[in-house]
């Protein structure tokens, strides 16, 4: 059964196992700080190393999923995650903990790479990505509610990630080779150049900065609640669980909304709102402002992320841009804990929040532009379009934009019809060749030969 008709649950499970480490980052870094002889910056550096290893796995394996096979690669990643995180959870030696976290991060990145490639091959990648975000948010919320009641120590969050990897293992038996939903355009084969190159590069750079800002705050959110808002670990864990529960509602809403508003509005407006939530959360001095900032932020974050994942998947149905953009996101996620720790140590939490919010606002425009350009709204009048508002081809061989070709070949210019408007019918104009002289017109008078006129059934 191909990935086009198989249910996405194996991919959702794999997505959950791959993304869980990033979702548990605050409690992982916080417990490394409190459970081992590490400073806050050193603990943040271990979290960054974990996520950097995950990003490296994505960049390394992006073009090899189809060749190696998704089932084999997914199982190798889950096994490495279970062994790495399990070793780090059981050991109190800092070098062993670091090595286990890095190995586990590579396993998580491998699982995420396979999941992203499979999601890109689905008929509805946005639906599959929202299901994955729904699953990982629910699981992370359960962990945040449970871990504070199981005792101290750095190993509990790491053990939860390792156990998830083991539980997801049976689901890999239903993974098969991923087939794109449509035939790829000429020159976009797995060994050919990437389609939508400029849009993909802008999206990758933008999502790197986007994830950097998110996880710079997420990596120190636990410390903001404990030290600046003066809350207990149980209260902070409850706030995180409620925030992730609100994120579930956000993901459900994104799934219900689907493509009705396009991608540009959710990405642009959502990122601007997230910037305000980050500034509010970083300046919190009590339970009210801390909870309000975290809950609002976690409600919006998965919504925007689901549209970014869907946008990356739409750029290349072989999943290469989905993996590369996801790996760029992991790079930003990896640098987040370290950047957040350094900024908060030198400038304080409120100033850190203001800097991160300003950075998010700066990248809102390029992310929105990519969503507009690749989401069915051509930049020039008379651009070539196909059904559902997506461009037929972004580029024709040699890099000539299709919009320019259409405009320069006599296509009438004027207002671009809105997405969803009825398509103009294609009228076939038949061009007659040069008139031929009928020889029989100048023939001699008299009866015609019957053999000169073909009758029915003769050829």
């Amino acid at each position: 059964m191909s990935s086009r008709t198989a249910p996405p649950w194996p991919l959702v499970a794999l997505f959950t196992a791959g993304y869980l480490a990033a979702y548990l980052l605050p409690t992982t870094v916080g417990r490394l700080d409190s459970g081992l002889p590490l400073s806050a910056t050193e603990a943040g550096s271990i979290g960054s190393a974990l996520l950097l290893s995950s990003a490296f796995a994505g960049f390394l394996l992006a073009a090899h999923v189809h060749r190696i096979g998704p089932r084999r690669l997914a199982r190798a990643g889950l096994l490495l995650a279970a062994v790495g995180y399990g070793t780090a959870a059981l050991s109190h030696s800092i070098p062993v903990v670091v090595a286990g976290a890095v190995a586990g991060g590579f396993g998580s990145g491998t699982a995420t790479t396979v999941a992203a490639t499979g999601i890109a091959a689905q008929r509805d990648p946005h639906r599959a990505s929202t299901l994955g975000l729904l699953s990982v948010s629910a699981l992370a919320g359960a962990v945040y509610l449970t871990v504070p009641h199981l005792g101290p120590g750095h190993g509990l969050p790491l053990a939860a990630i390792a156990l998830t990897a083991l539980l997801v293992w049976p689901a890999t038996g239903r993974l098969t080779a991923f087939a794109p939903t449509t035939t790829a355009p000429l020159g976009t084969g797995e060994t050919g150049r990437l389609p939508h190159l400029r849009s993909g590069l802008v999206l990758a750079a933008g999502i790197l900065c986007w994830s950097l800002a998110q996880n710079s705050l997420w990596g120190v959110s636990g410390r903001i609640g404990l030290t600046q808002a003066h809350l207990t670990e149980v209260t902070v864990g409850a706030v995180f669980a409620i925030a992730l529960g609100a994120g579930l509602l956000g993901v459900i809403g994104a799934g219900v909304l689907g493509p009705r508003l396009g991608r540009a509005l959710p990405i642009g407006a959502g990122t601007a709102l997230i910037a305000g939530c980050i500034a509010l959360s970083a300046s919190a001095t009590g339970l009210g402002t801390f909870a309000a900032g975290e809950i609002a932020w976690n409600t919006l974050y998965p919504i925007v992320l689901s549209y970014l994942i869907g946008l990356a998947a739409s750029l290349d149905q072989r999943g290469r841009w989905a993996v590369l953009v996801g790996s760029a996101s992991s790079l930003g996620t990896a640098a987040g804990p370290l950047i957040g720790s350094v900024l908060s140590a030198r400038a304080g939490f409120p100033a850190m929040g203001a800097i991160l919010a300003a950075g998010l606002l700066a990248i809102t425009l390029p992310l929105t532009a990519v969503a507009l350009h690749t989401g069915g709204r051509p930049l020039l009048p008379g651009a070539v379009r196909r059904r559902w508002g997506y461009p037929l081809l972004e580029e024709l061989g040699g890099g000539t934009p299709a919009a320019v070709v259409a405009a320069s070949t006599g296509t009438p210019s004027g207002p671009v019809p809105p997405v969803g408007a009825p398509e103009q019918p294609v009228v076939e104009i038949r061009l007659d060749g040069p008139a031929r002289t009928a020889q029989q017109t100048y023939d001699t008078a008299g009866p015609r030969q019957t053999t000169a006129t073909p009758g029915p059934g003769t050829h």
Side-chain angles (χ1 to χ4, degrees):
M1 183 181 293
S2 72
S3 62
R4 290 179 289 178
T5 57
W9 296 114
L11 296 175
V12 171
L14 202 59
F15 184 98
T16 301
Y19 263 81
L20 185 60
Y23 269 70
L24 295 183
L25 191 64
T27 186
T28 301
V29 171
R31 290 209 165 214
L32 287 172
D33 181 15
S34 62
L36 296 174
L38 296 169
S39 67
T41 302
E42 290 171 339
S45 299
I46 295 177
S48 292
L50 184 160
L51 297 173
L52 184 62
S53 178
S54 179
F56 178 72
F59 284 118
L60 182 65
L61 300 172
H64 303 289
V65 175
H66 297 281
R67 181 175 60 83
I68 299 174
R71 182 183 303 171
R72 181 185 304 175
L73 199 57
R75 287 180 172 176
L78 292 174
L79 179 61
L80 186 59
V83 172
Y85 292 127
T87 301
L90 296 174
S91 177
H92 286 79
S93 169
I94 293 178
V96 175
V97 170
V98 173
V102 170
F106 194 91
S108 292
T110 302
T112 303
T113 298
V114 178
T117 303
I119 286 173
Q122 295 292 307
R123 289 190 181 277
D124 188 354
H126 183 262
R127 174 176 175 269
S129 62
T130 53
L131 287 173
L133 291 171
L134 190 67
S135 175
V136 70
S137 297
L139 180 57
V143 172
Y144 276 115
L145 286 175
T146 304
V147 164
H149 300 284
L150 298 180
H154 75 283
L156 289 174
L158 296 169
I161 306 171
L163 180 60
T164 301
L166 292 176
L167 293 176
V168 169
W169 177 280
T172 59
R174 300 186 64 184
L175 290 175
T176 56
F178 303 137
T181 56
T182 61
T183 303
L186 182 63
T188 61
E190 188 168 356
T191 58
R193 66 179 180 85
L194 285 169
H196 304 278
L197 183 60
R198 285 173 292 182
S199 295
L201 291 176
V202 172
L203 179 60
I207 201 171
L208 188 153
C209 299
W210 189 87
S211 296
L212 173 64
Q214 311 287 331
N215 287 278
S216 293
L217 177 65
W218 188 236
V220 299
S221 287
R223 285 161 45 203
I224 292 175
L226 294 173
T227 62
Q228 183 172 278
H230 307 292
L231 305 175
T232 65
E233 184 183 10
V234 173
T235 304
V236 171
V239 170
F240 286 159
I242 295 172
L244 290 173
L248 295 179
L249 298 178
V251 173
I252 294 172
V256 172
L257 184 62
R260 290 181 178 86
L261 297 179
R263 295 189 183 103
L265 181 60
I267 290 174
T271 299
L273 291 174
I274 286 174
C277 294
I278 286 179
L280 176 63
S281 183
S283 62
T285 56
L287 176 59
T289 51
F290 180 73
E294 291 290 328
I295 292 172
W297 172 38
N298 280 276
T299 302
L300 294 168
Y301 169 82
I303 296 177
V304 180
L305 181 59
S306 70
Y307 282 96
L308 288 171
I309 293 174
L311 178 59
S314 71
L315 296 181
D316 177 25
Q317 291 183 344
R318 288 187 177 273
R320 290 169 295 175
W321 272 126
V323 174
L324 293 174
V325 169
S327 298
S329 175
S330 296
L331 280 179
T333 301
L338 181 59
I339 297 298
S341 297
V342 171
L343 285 177
S344 60
R346 295 188 177 182
F349 292 121
M352 177 202 70
I355 294 172
L356 297 177
L360 276 179
L361 292 176
I363 64 171
T364 299
L365 182 59
L367 288 177
T368 305
V370 171
L372 284 172
H373 181 41
T374 60
R377 293 177 174 84
L379 299 181
L380 296 175
V384 177
R385 299 170 60 87
R386 70 175 174 90
R387 194 174 301 277
W388 308 127
Y390 291 94
L392 176 63
L393 291 174
E394 180 190 71
E395 293 182 351
L396 301 175
T400 306
V404 175
V405 174
S408 63
T409 53
T411 304
S413 61
V416 179
V419 175
E423 293 183 338
Q424 297 297 324
V426 178
V427 179
E428 182 179 355
I429 302 175
R430 190 171 183 179
L431 298 178
D432 294 330
R436 297 181 179 178
T437 303
Q439 184 178 357
Q440 293 176 346
T441 305
Y442 306 98
D443 205 354
T444 57
R448 299 179 182 271
Q449 300 294 327
T450 56
T451 56
T453 304
T458 62
H459 302 281

